[in-house]
Amino acid sequence: ELEVFAALLRMRDDQISELQAQILRLQGKASGGDGSARLHSEGAAFQHAASEIEALRKEKAELERLVLAKDRQLQAVQSVDPSMGDAPALQLGAQAIQLFHDSLQRKQNEMALGKENQELRAEVDRLSAKLDELEAANAERRSEVKELTTSLAAKMQKIFELEAEAEAVQHDQRQASREAAAQLEQLRG
């Protein structure tokens, strides 16, 4: 059984090496690229190969974990001295219990990590929803600010026009006043 796992590990190592070589070839082609469509298809192939490498690495890690567990079991069985009677059986039983407890501990850790992962994903989803809400509110506020700015600009333009008109009227009044004063002087004199 241990040999089967070792063969599987070697096979996964070979697959990972092939995929890494393929990625390097794709990166080399992409760097000398001459078309965006070709670059896009090679990018998709690169992404697929990268995800496949990640899956193979996870599978390899799981296989390595299984090989280590089987190796421990094999060592436990080999460490039993049959000439000692019942003591080796008790020793083997104690080791089996320890392996069982280790397995339970590992599963509990995996469950706890899975639960924590779910909680973190829920938190990410909650924060993403909040971010979407805030972005929508921000866009609404921006449109309100734009409308207010436009309105303010129109009002300021109207104020400038009225000020210019008032100044023109005052200028006309001063001019008329000077002309009236000049005519009054002519009549007196």
Side-chain angles (χ1 to χ4, degrees):
E1 203 173 339
L2 198 57
E3 292 174 9
V4 172
F5 285 128
L8 283 172
L9 280 174
R10 283 190 297 277
M11 183 177 72
R12 291 298 182 228
D13 280 339
D14 292 341
Q15 288 176 336
I16 289 172
S17 297
E18 289 174 19
L19 286 171
Q20 286 175 334
Q22 184 181 7
I23 286 173
L24 289 174
R25 282 193 305 275
L26 287 174
Q27 285 176 336
K29 288 180 183 178
S31 65
D34 57 336
S36 63
R38 188 175 124 223
L39 186 62
H40 180 69
S41 68
E42 289 174 356
F46 175 75
Q47 289 293 338
H48 176 70
S51 63
E52 196 172 328
I53 283 177
E54 185 61 32
L56 288 172
R57 283 184 177 152
K58 287 179 182 177
E59 188 176 335
K60 179 184 173 194
E62 181 64 22
L63 286 173
E64 286 175 343
R65 188 186 61 75
L66 286 173
V67 166
L68 288 174
K70 291 294 180 183
D71 191 39
R72 281 190 223 126
Q73 290 174 356
L74 184 62
Q75 286 176 356
V77 169
Q78 290 174 345
S79 68
V80 173
D81 186 5
S83 65
M84 296 188 67
D86 289 340
L90 292 175
Q91 184 182 16
L92 185 59
Q95 289 176 347
I97 290 171
Q98 182 62 40
L99 288 173
F100 177 74
H101 284 294
D102 290 346
S103 174
L104 283 178
Q105 178 90 21
R106 187 174 53 254
K107 286 181 183 177
Q108 287 174 344
N109 288 342
E110 288 174 2
M111 287 175 41
L113 290 175
K115 183 178 178 183
E116 182 181 350
N117 193 15
Q118 287 176 344
E119 291 171 356
L120 290 173
R121 287 183 193 271
E123 180 71 10
V124 165
D125 291 342
R126 185 186 67 76
L127 291 173
S128 293
K130 182 70 172 175
L131 180 63
D132 291 341
E133 290 174 17
L134 291 173
E135 286 176 347
N138 192 21
E140 186 177 321
R141 296 292 183 260
R142 282 186 179 150
S143 66
E144 288 175 9
V145 166
K146 185 177 179 182
E147 289 174 15
L148 290 173
T149 303
T150 304
S151 174
L152 180 62
K155 287 179 181 179
M156 291 297 290
Q157 181 64 32
K158 184 70 173 176
I159 288 171
F160 291 141
E161 289 172 1
L162 289 174
E163 284 178 348
E165 191 176 313
E167 192 174 311
V169 167
Q170 286 177 350
H171 180 69
D172 289 345
Q173 284 177 349
R174 284 191 296 259
Q175 185 68 25
S177 178
R178 281 189 223 130
E179 288 176 5
Q183 284 178 357
L184 189 60
E185 273 305 310
Q186 284 178 353
L187 289 175
R188 288 188 188 163

